[in-house]
Every structure is written in structure tokens, then in C-alpha cells.
Amino acid sequence: MSEPILATHALCKSFGALTATDDVSIDLRAGEIHAIIGPNGAGKSTLIAQICGALAPDAGTVELLGRDVTGLSTQARAQAGLARTFQISALAMEDTVLDNALLGALGAAGNPWRLWGRVSRDAALRDRAMAALDRVGLADHAGTRTADLSHGQRRQLEVAVALTLAPRAFVMDEPMAGLGAEGSRVMTGFLDGLRQEAPILLVEHDMDAVFALADRISVLVYGQVIATGTVDEIRADPAVRAAYLGEEA
Amino acid sequence: MIGERWINLAVPLALLAVPLYALMADEPFTITLATRATILALAAVGLNIALGIGGLVSLGHAVFFGLGGYAMGILAFHAQNYSPLEIGPLTFAGTKSMPVIWLVAVIVSAMAALLIGALSLRTSGVYFIMITLAFGQMFYYFAISWSAYGGEDGLSIYVRNGFPGLNTLVPIQFFAVCFVVLCLALALNAMLRASPFGLALNAARQVPQRVETVGLNPMRLKLMAFVISGAITGLAGALFADLNRFVSPSMFSWQLSGELIILIVIGGVGRLMGPVVGACLFVALEHWLGGLTDFWHVWLGVVLLGIVLFARGGVVGLLTGKAGPHV
Ligand SMILES: Nc1ncnc2c1ncn2[C@@H]1O[C@H](COP(=O)(O)OP(=O)(O)OP(=O)(O)O)[C@@H](O)[C@H]1O
Ligand SMILES: [Mg+2]
């Protein structure tokens, strides 16, 4: 089997007495969508924060493209090809939709030090930003102030900013949250195709989306991975049913 | 409601009209007041780059104002005494040339801003405010104890420094110099704001975690903004010293740092013309109310309170009808 694009090895993180990440080893392989599911407070976002560099683990390592990135900053990991979307939209609300996408394009270009010339007139940046907006269906809203977007559109913009980076791996924290039935369906279709470009580590509560998309699922409960497997394996797993799916289904 | 473009045009024209009127009415003191407003506006334009775009509440910008002032004072002092300026093994002649003084003021304050920014930006929020305040106090007390250059009494410069081709002793000509510098600083501010750097900095103020996740370093963006900001405020300090032909430690005082923030808040944080409107109102209030009562700061406080409570976008925000503190 080919080497994983992204992997964690025995990752641990505690907040005081609370163990939010408990010996987590997962990996993300080329071309796949690996879904992480688990009840509220299971430690999914905490895991993502450690993978992306926003939070330092107490122990364990994170590996990106075969390289140990545990000691690297968020910026360095992004430059190395990791793109993250946030559970709670982290967008420049006062700026336009295009500005947010341009920021991604600027990050991809890696040079924010040009102090002259209008960024909105830079054809290369603009094309890259508009292409990403177009893919998530926000091209018509390029000039809209981000604060005026609906909740679902903000989720789409989160994904668009990640797209501008043309990353080697996506890490998405609940991209469907609050999208509504139609929005979820569209996003599901979109992510389905996206895995060809780069694999996706997908944290998601929407079980229809997870079962439709995931090549593999890992179930996180109290910071621990209690099972990893295909959709069918997870559905059949008695421990999972007891700990998690039993409550929902 | 007025478009911000019109304000960006009207405010400098109004500022220009005051001394021109005063020239015809033969009121040289009014020209001096307008010059004072122009220079304070320049200092605040500098701060507004850090504060308005970068979100850095610096309570230590008087450091740069003071450094600019002392750059002028020291260079002119050595020139008027015909004594060489010795820094370690190097010896310089003093100078009475504004462009040279400005260059020194800009370089010195930019270097100080790099140092102070690199240390202060490790913190944020109230700690950032406190650390910049602490630096301000350090420079203030250093200037007081620096007896070679007047210590607490400051330094007087007998004749205003010169600018090639102009007679800077004529109030309107010195005003013109300051006004052109202000306009250039405003143009620089507008250019920065629209540039790739401005976009990234603006995002770094709002959502630093987003800026990191696209692979950019928000701290370095803010540091760059702080350096540019300090350099402009330093230049204003050199002009201010030239206006008064006097420098003293009070240029380093935290009250001055506070006043710069206050006049930006009054004018409109992050608005291009915010510092200009704020500085003009500040100088007008200081002059008229100050003539009526020694307690004019109370009335300034009332204005500030009204703005903070009812018009977060400052006067420019009121005029454009946009309530938010930023564009
Ligand atoms: N910075 C922090 N300090 C202390 N406790 C924290 C911190 N961040 C998260 N926690 C706790 O760690 C646990 C895991 O939180 P996390 O946000 O990772 O859960 P999650 O699986 O993403 O939940 P959700 O499905 O609600 O998004 C929770 O109990 C949370 O309260
Ligand atoms: Mg979460």
C-alpha cells in the first residue's frame, strides 16, 4: 500500500483532567475520503487543531507527505500542502467574498509583501480566487460583504478558500453543518469529486453524507478511536452501535 | 449620506482652505494652528495604519513621534553649535536640511518600531497596550535624564530648518511642506490598503487563524504595519519639532500616545480621513474651548464618549452613514 498523505501517530492531548485526544493514530490515503465521526465533545475538532498546527499535542506526531510536521507552525503546514476548513467559519467578515478568496490565492502564491498595486486587479490572484468561488457556486456573490452571506454560503466560502490553496490534503470540520438538505446534497456531490484532487479528512455529523462519501470511517468517542473501517464495517460494529450510532439511529 | 470618496476629496481641500483664508485675512496664528493640525494628522495617519488596518492598539506611538522630534533636535542642535555629532567611532556633522532630518527621523523610528514591535507583538490585547505603554515611558524617562540634549528642559532650535527652494520661516510655506507630506502619507495609506499586503493585514486583524491556515504569518504582517506606522509617526515628530522649534521629553509622553488614539477614534478608526478629521477637530477644540476654559479636556471627553457610544465609525462614519468602526 502506498504511503499515507497524512497520518497521526499516538497523538495525545489533555485539558486538565479531560483527555480530549487519547492515543489517536489515523491516516489519510491518496484519493480517499476518511470520515471522523463521534458524539459532541468527542475531540474531533481538537484532533483537527493538532493536525493543522493550531494546538500542540502532549505526545505523538503528525506526518504530512512522509515528513514529521509536529514541530511546524500552522503556516508551514499550510505551505506544505494542508488546507483546513473551520467548524465555526473563520472568515474576514467585513471584507467581500472575493477578498476572502483572494487571501487564499495570496497564501498559495506565498508572497503578501507587495505593498503597491490593487490586489483586485492582479489577474493571476483574481483568476485563482474566482475559479475557486465558481466551483462552490459563489461566483455571483464575489462582491458581497461576507457578513451578509447566509450561514450555508459561509460554509461554501470556507471550502472555496481551501480550494484556492490547491492543497495535497483537505481537513474539513463539519462542512455540511447548517447547509440544509439541498445544500448538503450539493456539497456531498462536490466533495465526492474533490477527493480525486486531494484526499479529505472529513469531520461530519451528517450521517447521510458520511455514508455516501466515506471510503473509511473512524469513530471517535471520549478522545479514543474505537473503530476504523469501511461504511459497512462501521455500520455492523457492535461497539460503535452501542457507543454512538445507537443513540442516533 | 456622503460617499467616502467625496470625503476623501473634501477633507484635504477644507484643510487647505483654512490657511489660504488666513493668509488673505492676515491671521498668521491660524496658519500655525492649521499646520499643527496637519502634523498631528500625519502622526495619526501613521498610527491608523497599525491601529485601523492592523488592529494594533499601540499606546506607545509617542516613542516614534519623540524620536522624530529628537532626530530633528539633535541634528539641528549640532548644526547651530557647529559641534560634530559623535556616535561611537563615527562623527557626523549636524544639519539644518529638512529632507536629511526627515530621512534620519524615518530610519530611526522605523528601527525602533521594528524592535518594539518584534517584542510587543508576542502579546496581544491588553498586554500589547501595556507593553507599548511601557516602552513609551522608558523613552520618556530616558529623554528626561539625557542632559546632553537638555534633559527635562528640552532643546530649543533658534531658526527653523530649511527646505531647498522654500523659505520655511514663512508660515504658509511651512504649512505647504507639511500638507504635501500629509497628502503623500494619505496616498501611501490608500495604496497599502488596496495592495496584496493590505488585504492580508486587514484579514490578520479580523481572523488571524484564517491567515495562518492559508500559509501566511499574521505576526509578520502586523510587524511590517507597525514599522511603516512608526516611520510615518516619526516623520510627523520631526515636523512637529520644526513647527515649535523646540523638542522636549513631553513628545514621548503617554498622554500624546493617548491623544493620537483619541483623535483617530473621533475621526473614524480605519477610515482614510479619520485621522485628518480627528486632528482638525482636536486642534479646533483645543484652541477654542481651551481659550474659554482650562478644563477643555472634559468637553473632549464628552465628544469622545458620544462617539464611542453612538457613532462607532467616528465622524467619517457618521457622514458616510456606515456605522461600523471599519470600512
Ligand atoms: N481549549 C480547550 N480548553 C479546555 N477544554 C477544551 C478546549 N478545547 C476543547 N475542549 C474540550 O475538549 C473536548 C473535545 O472538544 P472538541 O471541540 O474537540 O469536540 P468535538 O468532537 O469537535 O465536538 P463537536 O461535535 O461539538 O464539534 C470537549 O469536552 C471540550 O469541552
Ligand atoms: Mg467540533
Side-chain angles (χ1 to χ4, degrees), chain A residues 75 79 90 94-95 119 158, chain B residues 194 202 205-206 210 215-216:
Chain A
Q75 299 99 271
Q79 283 162 4
E94 293 164 13
D95 297 345
V119 62
E158 278 276 332
Chain B
N202 198 39
R205 180 193 76 241
Q206 299 172 58
R210 158 63 60 201
L216 303 175

Side-chain angles (χ1 to χ4, degrees), chain A residues 40-41 43-46 87 173-174 203 205:
Chain A
N40 290 111
K44 305 180 294 294
S45 296
T46 304
Q87 180 174 2
D173 201 348
E174 303 200 22
V203 168
H205 274 302

